[in-house]
Amino acid sequence: MDTASGTQQPAVDPPVDGGQFAIEDMAAYARQVARGDTVLIFDTTLRDGEQSPGATLDDHEKLELARQLSRLGVDILETGFPIASPGDWKAVHRVAETVGRETRVGQDGSPLPPPVIAGLARANRKDIERAFTATEPAVRPRIHTFIATSDIHLEHKLRMSRNEVLETVGEMVEYAVSLCGDVEFSPEDAGRSDIEYLKQVLEVAIQAGATTLNIPDTVGYTQPKEYEALFRALIEGTPGGRDVIFSTHTHNDLGLATANTLAAVSAGARQVEVTINGIGERAGNSSLEEFVMGLYTRPQFYNLRTNVQTQEIHRTSDMVSRYTGMVIQPNKAIVGANAFAHEAGIHQDGVLKHKRTYEIMDAETVGLNQHRQGLVLGKHSGRHALRTRLDELGYHMEPAELNEIFSSFKELADKKKTVTDADLEALVADEVYQPKETWELVNVQVQCGSNLTPTAVVILRRLDSGEEVTDAGFGTGPVDAVYQGINRIVGVENTLVEFVVQAVTAGMDANGDVTIRIEVPDRGRDMVETAQGRVRRRLFSGRGVDTDIIVASAKAYLQALNKQIASEAEAAPLGSMI
Ligand code: KIV
Ligand code: ZN
């Protein structure tokens, strides 16, 4: 499937090869950005965001998200950590040779270059080579290399002296520059590093050819005033600092990630590393939508701009939540379900009299109302109406995909009076974006009640052979009974660690949207290594939508199981990743 323009951008059809946008002189480009008023958006949803426990994405999901992030207008897409696994390398490479080569349309209708495609690498040759080969097909590839600089990391993690780290930075940045003109360097845990040492490290990186210097608050420890002062001191105090792009990278351990990011751009940072919905390691990263809408809503205060198409924010947020299985809290700024809802009578009265009494932004600006309340389709709507609406929503279906989605749409329309945009997007996610499936749900029937042991009969189809298998399960409740029945057929071990049901739309006939997370037993091969070198157990998420929440629960479980099965088939022993 190919996605195309959303509500704001005209379509680029077919995608124009963005070859003419290659950056010939990185140093001149960096100087220009450093002196300008545009803040570059470096999206790391597909790398730091994917490090959220359970947010694992397969390469198909990464590609679809990369397309949407590109349509959103991000300048740089960090797509993964290519050394981590062959799957990560492949996903980054796929995005580089597609999204990384396609011209976009900017806010004023003029062509916008394809996003820079960045791959993360520790400061060693093997990591850097893998990041280079993965990103190379992009018109604008970038190697993002990092090494820790705080004493606590040097002493306990790296077991290296300050001089050894300095030497490594010089050698590895120079090596990365010999492969790729665009190199970003990050002193990990910069927020807790000695500032004079940090200046020395950054000077060495600049001399070796890095044109973007990222200052990570890796553990979310720094306060906004401190982070702002750190940027001023580094930009002014590092030889060559005024000619390169300084970048923020903040974590939300104390709930300050976005505040820190905004503070740093006031001090001269011209790149921000952010994620959609603020997902990321532990408490997450600075959220793209909060940062962008901060600048957008307070233009006089910041006097800075971004290339983001704000009307695409809501759709992107929904998509990230669906694919990662990370549910958005209702009170989340900008994209939470309550972000634009007024409950108190006094607020409702004020908003009706004058919108600005309690609303500082329009919901339409972030693509909310047109997204949620678009043209309503029903059971009399035909294939043409469905295709037109899907096109308007930015989903261009191949004929076979349209057929598939049309029959699910008809089934849904028979059960529900109206099928909204939100229902359609859930159907697309549910029907078209299934990860490499092994098993498919054919039928499920449940018996339960006050004095009954919940019992389920489940029929699944094996997609490779077409064989249908029937079995039954008993459980503590109807969902448990269904899961026991599925387990007897599929025969893989896991533990259900999260189960969330939400209504996609309002009303008695609403679609139920079930998100689950399963944890697999520790057998070594299901462990993943993060960029920080921590090893942790892999979780898999699944999502299913249906008017019947038992069926939605079965679909969600099967999606997670299919991911687990695919990962077990592909997984390399951990030793080969390091
Ligand atoms: O938080 C961090 O320090 C990182 C680096 C790898 C940039 O994610
Ligand atoms: Zn990080």
Side-chain angles (χ1 to χ4, degrees), residues 2-6 71 315 389-396:
D2 183 25
T3 53
S5 71
R71 189 161 8 134
R315 190 198 317 285
R389 189 64 200 139
L390 287 171
D391 273 355
E392 283 165 5
L393 290 172
Y395 299 109
H396 286 344

Side-chain angles (χ1 to χ4, degrees), residues 8-27:
Q8 199 181 17
Q9 292 171 310
V12 183
D13 198 16
V16 181
D17 190 315
Q20 79 271 27
F21 289 110
I23 305 171
E24 300 300 338
D25 185 346
M26 262 320 290

